[in-house]
Amino acid sequence: MNQTNHSPSNRLTDLSALAIDGLPDHWQAILSKPPASTQLARTVAAIKAELAAKATIYPKDPWRALRLTDLNDAKVVILGQDPYHGPDQAQGLAFSVGSHCKAPPSLRNIFAEISQDPLLQTDSLRPMPDPDLSRWAEQGVLLLNTSLTVRDGQAASHAKLGWQVITDAIISAVAKRQTPTVFMLWGAHAQAKTELIQTHGRQHLILSANHPSPLSARRPPVPFLGCGHFGRANEWLEGRGLRAVRW
């Protein structure tokens, strides 16, 4: 297992970070019931074994997205795949890195799309905004990866630890509410959740496009760059009496 030469600030060192008792009550209620609770116990056991084998695992706070965005506050869901696997990057929010980090390529394309969205007033948007997206999370944007941990230097290394059972329960809980919600699904991995969302509620807006990665952001059938998702989301939210997101 890979291990960095220093101790990254975002390294998971304490299994208590995976406990759910410090989460908002609504999330605790979801994660304390099967199948999420059963799978969480297995996932934590697997991570415990990896830590005992001296693996470097990110991020330090896997539940950060749920800490910052309570179930009742969520009005937009952006699905990622798994955390960034480099030191000091992943902070527990999909596509987000710490303020001290350079924005990764996918996040740079996200900012580029926001800056060119004709439905947004972006005069106050800085040329390169803070790559820490906690400001979005605090406005009700649930930035959820489908896997919440990863080994250093090994993308998707925890994809088979059962995290998707847990995050599917989170996605389902959001979709079951009557609150109109925007789901942004970028790339095939995120779009695989379309049926899950639609099973629980047809009152939501699902926006699909290619992944913002430079490898796919300009490719058909629906290029990410030019998709207009951020402006469309705000227009749709405002049309339902909800406050727009300041992207």
Side-chain angles (χ1 to χ4, degrees):
M1 295 178 183
N2 287 3
Q3 190 171 14
T4 52
N5 293 325
H6 71 289
S7 183
S9 62
N10 67 330
R11 180 178 180 176
L12 178 67
T13 58
D14 188 347
L15 276 178
S16 66
L18 292 166
I20 65 171
D21 53 4
L23 294 178
D25 291 346
H26 294 104
W27 294 130
Q28 285 191 49
I30 293 156
L31 297 174
S32 63
K33 297 175 184 175
S37 59
T38 307
Q39 183 56 56
L40 182 57
R42 295 174 182 149
T43 301
V44 170
I47 292 172
K48 181 179 180 179
E50 290 195 14
L51 290 176
K54 306 301 182 184
T56 296
I57 296 173
Y58 309 125
K60 182 178 182 179
D61 182 8
W63 299 121
R64 188 169 179 232
L66 304 190
R67 294 188 200 283
L68 293 182
T69 309
D70 199 359
L71 176 61
N72 286 347
D73 298 329
K75 57 188 176 186
V76 178
V77 178
I78 297 178
L79 288 182
Q81 188 162 351
D82 68 327
Y84 295 115
H85 55 270
D88 303 319
Q89 288 186 307
Q91 307 292 327
L93 301 175
F95 294 102
S96 175
V97 294
S99 297
H100 59 283
C101 291
K102 180 180 178 181
S106 292
L107 184 54
R108 290 202 295 272
N109 277 339
I110 289 170
F111 288 151
E113 173 58 23
I114 290 169
S115 70
Q116 69 183 15
D117 193 316
L119 294 177
L120 293 178
Q121 297 294 324
T122 57
D123 293 343
S124 63
L125 195 67
R126 290 175 291 169
M128 183 50 64
D130 187 343
D132 180 352
L133 303 181
S134 58
R135 65 189 182 280
W136 292 3
E138 290 163 355
Q139 296 178 75
V141 181
L142 181 61
L143 295 162
L144 184 69
N145 282 316
T146 55
S147 293
L148 299 186
T149 56
V150 69
R151 284 195 299 273
D152 174 56
Q154 300 178 46
S157 50
H158 282 181
K160 295 183 179 180
L161 289 192
W163 274 121
Q164 289 201 41
V165 174
I166 299 159
T167 52
D168 277 2
I170 294 169
I171 295 166
S172 297
V174 177
K176 286 176 182 176
R177 305 172 311 152
Q178 292 303 307
T179 305
T181 306
V182 181
F183 289 84
M184 296 186 180
L185 308 182
W186 303 329
H189 183 86
Q191 288 160 20
K193 306 299 180 183
T194 300
E195 185 176 353
L196 176 65
I197 296 163
Q198 291 180 334
T199 295
H200 295 296
R202 296 281 177 169
Q203 70 275 23
H204 308 305
L205 175 65
I206 297 177
L207 298 175
S208 299
N210 283 3
H211 195 276
S213 163
L215 296 174
S216 59
R218 290 181 169 83
R219 289 182 179 175
V222 185
F224 175 79
L225 291 171
C227 68
H229 282 185
F230 300 94
R232 287 171 62 190
N234 276 358
E235 197 171 59
W236 189 85
L237 289 170
E238 289 181 320
R240 285 148 184 80
L242 297 172
R243 182 174 296 179
V245 177
R246 188 173 184 275
W247 301 107

